[in-house]
Amino acid sequence: MSVIEKLVVERIEKEVIEAFSFCDLPLTTGEIDPSKEEKFGDYQCNLAMKLSKELKKAPREIALMAADALSKSELLEKVEVAGPGFLNLYLKKDVVEEWLVGAFESEDLLVPKVSPEKVIVEFSSPNIAKSMHVGHLRSTIIGDAIARLMEFLGYDVLRLNHVGDFGTQFGMLISYLKKYHPEALKDGNDCDLETLVGWYKAAKKKFDEDDEFKTISREEVVALQSGEEKSVEAWKALCSISRKGFHEIYDLLDVHIEERGESFYNPILQKVVDDFKEKGLSKEDGGAQCVFMEGFQNKDGDILPLIIQKSDGGFNYATTDLAAFHYRVEEDKAKRIVVVTDLGQKMHFSMVYAAAKLVGYMDDTKTRFDHVPFGLVLSPDGKKYKTRSGETEKLSDLLEEAVDRAKSLLDARGIEDNEDIAKVLGISAVKYADLSSNRIKDYTFSYDRMLRFEGNTAAFILYAFVRIQSIKRKAGVDLESVTENIILEHPSERALALHLMRFGEILHKMKEDLLPNHLTEYLYHLAEKFNLFFRDCPVIDSPNMHSRLKLADLAGRHLEKGLSILGIGTIDRM
Ligand code: ARG
């Protein structure tokens, strides 16, 4: 993928690698890190320590040679050799100031764009006739943030909702509804998802207890799968009741996604099994077609089967996912496929991906696949999270409660007419709390914590944004017409500017490891650095007012863009 503009850190890296050319070793990878503390410069490089063994020289000696070569640098003001052989790199002020001029003019804040390859981001993926639970909420929030990032970077993104809309359970549900609630199976019924979920449970109970009902349900599955009109119509009605329920949540979250459920892949499931059989890659085992692959053993060392066709001839979850790989590569022409699900499905995706490579549906030199797992949602008492209503979790209640609580906080601060602000603040708090914890770990859901105005929270960051808007309003200067550039005098100005410059670096890192907490952390530090700048540098009526207003404005634009990538809107008072 071609990067159109270059990150400043990449330009520094290039110079540093050139400075080490005396050692005649191939150096290509990223060896520059931002310094942890200001006294260690702006960036740091540990290359001398790494090369010491191979070069049979003391790291300090190597570092001194590199520092000497870097004294002619176009970007660096100063290079220090510290400790046993670290290089502390200080950027030239005019390099930062020049970047600020470009960023101020640039709508996308000088973030390098990529070539517009097709990327599929599959997320949310709830199941028809079942309630959408907190796991699906996590998938939705994380997946939407990843999709927004990819869109911003310039990829051609296809957002897919792989809803569970297929399987034998629909036979049972349709039979039950035909008998007890035929009105629900008509087009245009006004049934809601909660009621449907209740019926699903009743149908399941009946199925387990009543043999006659079991038989009818099985016949119904056959009718549905053979495309019998009445059954298909009934199934469509169920899907549309569920869809309405799901979209209630997507609307609250401002998430857009295209539904392409499991059933979409039905026409190619047989082909998938045939492909494995023809290539001799699957075996019959207890009547089922299975793929056995090295590397997937149980504790006793037996290779685990990946079942692609059940003994009754039916296809399963794995068959559908194999078909999805095939379709996404061949028809969608995806260059990268990202699938966001709970950590519990990690093994499933490792096996399906390995099988897809084996049969030739996936070639990792051409298409990259990332399974993006996330941990459980826990309540503050450490147990698995349940909403107040207990068993039937209603996600809209959860989101509405966050909005209600945000409203009370705003009321307490004396902010009037606050409905719209409360909505942004409440939903932001839920999203931000989720995104700011490392997704692989379990995450504790706490309204109190997520709605704090201090610390790494949405409110803290939104508050910094609000302050910036209010300074700009007070100053009343049309920044577009200001010709003076930003000048960096105070260390707090420089620290803020350097942080702004790192925005693109963070986004490109997030696109690799798909961890949104890099961006939340970045924004948290940005808000802090802005607050320090604002404490240390008077803006209104200062001789540097125009420069400082521009810097504040640029900080605000970074906050706004960063939040928007996380799916979080902004407000102008709170
Ligand atoms: N419907 C599944 C669930 O609720 C998630 C689907 C994940 N995606 C996939 N391609 N298998 O757990």
Side-chain angles (χ1 to χ4, degrees):
M1 93 200 53
S2 81
V3 172
I4 295 158
E5 291 159 66
K6 258 199 168 350
L7 293 167
V8 176
V9 66
E10 287 173 351
R11 289 165 54 203
I12 305 174
E13 203 155 68
K14 190 159 167 270
E15 282 197 352
V16 168
I17 285 175
E18 262 163 38
F20 277 93
S21 59
F22 63 84
C23 56
D24 242 357
L25 293 170
L27 304 171
T28 46
T29 46
E31 297 294 350
I32 309 288
D33 294 308
S35 299
K36 300 263 178 305
E37 286 177 56
E38 261 156 53
K39 63 177 180 204
F40 299 135
D42 302 326
Y43 286 89
Q44 257 204 350
C45 169
N46 305 342
L47 210 47
M49 337 278 270
K50 288 196 190 152
L51 298 175
S52 155
K53 211 166 163 200
E54 207 156 338
L55 294 176
K56 299 193 183 66
K57 271 199 179 98
R60 210 178 152 79
E61 198 181 323
I62 304 170
L64 284 168
M65 286 167 79
D68 187 47
L70 282 169
S71 63
K72 292 185 277 300
S73 161
E74 281 178 18
L75 303 168
L76 302 171
E77 176 74 54
K78 179 167 86 171
V79 178
E80 284 169 356
V81 176
F86 295 112
L87 288 177
N88 296 345
L89 314 172
Y90 294 80
L91 271 173
K92 282 185 182 164
K93 194 167 101 173
D94 40 316
V95 170
V96 186
E97 285 176 350
E98 218 175 276
W99 181 87
L100 291 167
V101 171
F104 191 83
E105 298 299 323
S106 150
E107 190 159 344
D108 290 331
L109 304 165
L110 285 188
V111 174
K113 295 292 170 119
V114 299
S115 53
E117 287 172 342
K118 181 65 140 284
V119 174
I120 290 179
V121 185
E122 188 218 280
F123 63 98
S124 195
S125 309
N127 302 308
I128 299 294
K130 292 195 187 158
S131 48
M132 197 165 160
H133 55 68
V134 282
H136 296 123
L137 179 67
R138 278 207 94 176
S139 174
T140 308
I141 291 173
I142 295 169
D144 180 53
I146 292 173
R148 285 173 187 262
L149 170 77
M150 299 290 182
E151 283 154 359
F152 176 62
L153 291 178
Y155 290 105
D156 175 11
V157 178
L158 178 60
R159 298 157 159 255
L160 289 182
N161 198 357
H162 192 84
V163 298
D165 61 357
F166 199 70
T168 46
Q169 73 273 26
F170 290 104
M172 170 185 96
L173 185 58
I174 292 171
S175 308
Y176 181 85
L177 293 179
K178 273 187 176 168
K179 188 159 178 191
Y180 299 102
H181 303 282
E183 73 285 356
L185 296 176
K186 298 233 167 59
D187 202 21
N189 66 72
D190 57 1
C191 171
D192 68 12
L193 180 54
E194 261 189 310
T195 317
L196 184 62
V197 171
W199 289 335
Y200 182 90
K201 286 184 184 145
K204 173 92 178 67
K205 190 155 174 275
K206 191 156 178 60
F207 185 86
D208 291 339
E209 288 167 356
D210 182 339
D211 281 341
E212 197 194 319
F213 183 71
K214 222 177 242 171
T215 315
I216 301 174
S217 299
R218 293 214 168 106
E219 285 164 7
E220 187 60 58
V221 176
V222 177
L224 178 61
Q225 300 194 343
S226 60
E228 208 261 290
E229 203 182 322
K230 271 230 156 68
S231 305
V232 173
E233 210 175 282
W235 171 77
K236 281 189 179 154
L238 302 180
C239 292
S240 103
I241 297 169
S242 302
R243 196 173 294 129
K244 260 193 285 166
F246 301 154
H247 278 273
E248 202 185 314
I249 308 294
Y250 298 147
D251 289 348
L252 278 168
L253 294 173
D254 187 24
V255 166
H256 300 268
I257 187 164
E258 190 172 310
E259 183 178 321
R260 193 197 272 174
E262 292 178 13
S263 65
F264 177 87
Y265 302 98
N266 284 353
I268 46 172
L269 298 179
Q270 187 60 55
K271 174 198 155 41
V272 170
V273 176
D274 292 345
D275 284 347
F276 276 90
K277 278 194 195 159
E278 268 162 35
K279 297 192 174 169
L281 298 170
S282 65
K283 271 204 255 324
E284 205 186 297
D285 190 68
Q289 269 304 308
C290 304
V291 186
F292 293 93
M293 295 170 290
E294 282 301 329
F296 297 102
Q297 272 98 338
N298 65 12
K299 292 195 292 305
D300 303 328
D302 307 320
I303 297 189
L304 295 164
L306 176 71
I307 301 176
I308 58 172
Q309 187 167 24
K310 296 184 285 182
S311 52
D312 65 5
F315 306 110
N316 66 5
Y317 195 51
T319 332
T320 312
D321 273 324
L322 285 164
F325 271 125
H326 184 61
Y327 191 92
R328 291 167 183 183
V329 171
E330 292 307 319
E331 303 299 324
D332 294 322
K333 311 264 182 260
K335 290 285 173 276
R336 187 170 182 187
I337 300 170
V338 175
V339 174
V340 186
T341 79
D342 61 279
L343 193 57
Q345 301 197 35
K346 193 178 163 113
M347 183 68 163
H348 165 78
F349 279 103
S350 322
M351 288 182 88
V352 169
Y353 178 50
K357 282 196 285 190
L358 204 59
V359 77
Y361 291 172
M362 280 293 280
D363 172 349
D364 52 18
T365 63
K366 297 202 177 100
T367 306
R368 171 169 169 182
F369 171 62
D370 295 89
H371 176 232
V372 176
F374 54 82
L376 296 175
V377 183
L378 305 175
S379 20
D381 62 7
K383 298 208 182 86
K384 235 179 128 166
Y385 188 83
K386 287 239 162 73
T387 45
R388 272 179 312 177
S389 45
E391 236 210 308
T392 43
E393 298 167 5
K394 227 188 142 205
L395 283 187
S396 49
D397 288 350
L398 176 149
L399 296 172
E400 271 152 23
E401 170 144 10
V403 173
D404 288 346
R405 289 187 184 226
K407 183 163 179 359
S408 314
L409 289 172
L410 292 166
D411 287 343
R413 289 168 84 94
I415 300 190
E416 289 165 4
D417 262 349
N418 59 22
E419 268 79 21
D420 291 346
I421 311 178
K423 192 167 169 218
V424 176
L425 187 58
I427 301 289
S428 302
V430 173
K431 288 189 181 183
Y432 191 91
D434 194 328
L435 295 168
S436 60
S437 77
N438 183 323
R439 62 171 162 76
I440 304 183
K441 297 195 196 134
D442 292 346
Y443 137 73
T444 304
F445 188 96
S446 155
Y447 287 114
D448 290 335
R449 192 178 320 150
M450 68 176 70
L451 281 161
R452 276 185 204 148
F453 279 69
E454 286 303 321
N456 189 9
T457 64
F460 179 71
I461 294 168
L462 285 169
Y463 191 63
F465 180 80
V466 166
R467 283 178 94 183
I468 295 171
Q469 306 321 304
S470 103
I471 304 164
K472 280 167 49 186
R473 266 196 306 271
K474 252 188 229 143
V477 175
D478 171 21
L479 287 179
E480 294 291 319
S481 58
V482 170
T483 50
E484 295 151 69
N485 290 326
I486 300 173
I487 41 164
L488 301 173
E489 278 178 359
H490 194 283
S492 300
E493 288 176 307
R494 181 186 164 88
L496 175 59
L498 269 166
H499 195 71
L500 296 179
M501 217 177 69
R502 296 200 51 219
F503 188 53
E505 207 178 305
I506 298 297
L507 297 184
H508 279 270
K509 183 164 155 186
M510 178 173 152
K511 111 181 166 242
E512 293 307 318
D513 59 20
L514 307 175
L515 287 169
N517 58 311
H518 293 312
L519 181 54
T520 55
E521 222 158 280
Y522 172 87
L523 293 173
Y524 174 44
H525 291 137
L526 174 50
E528 281 188 324
K529 284 179 204 277
F530 170 76
N531 290 343
L532 292 179
F533 153 76
F534 197 53
R535 181 198 68 190
D536 298 338
C537 305
V539 178
I540 312 276
D541 296 335
S542 130
N544 291 352
M545 176 162 93
H546 283 166
S547 159
R548 288 179 177 169
L549 273 175
K550 273 190 157 179
L551 185 58
D553 175 69
L554 199 52
R557 285 169 56 202
H558 278 79
L559 287 173
E560 187 170 24
K561 181 52 83 188
L563 288 170
S564 85
I565 290 172
L566 300 174
I568 295 176
T570 49
I571 45 190
D572 53 12
R573 61 199 174 100
M574 72 192 274

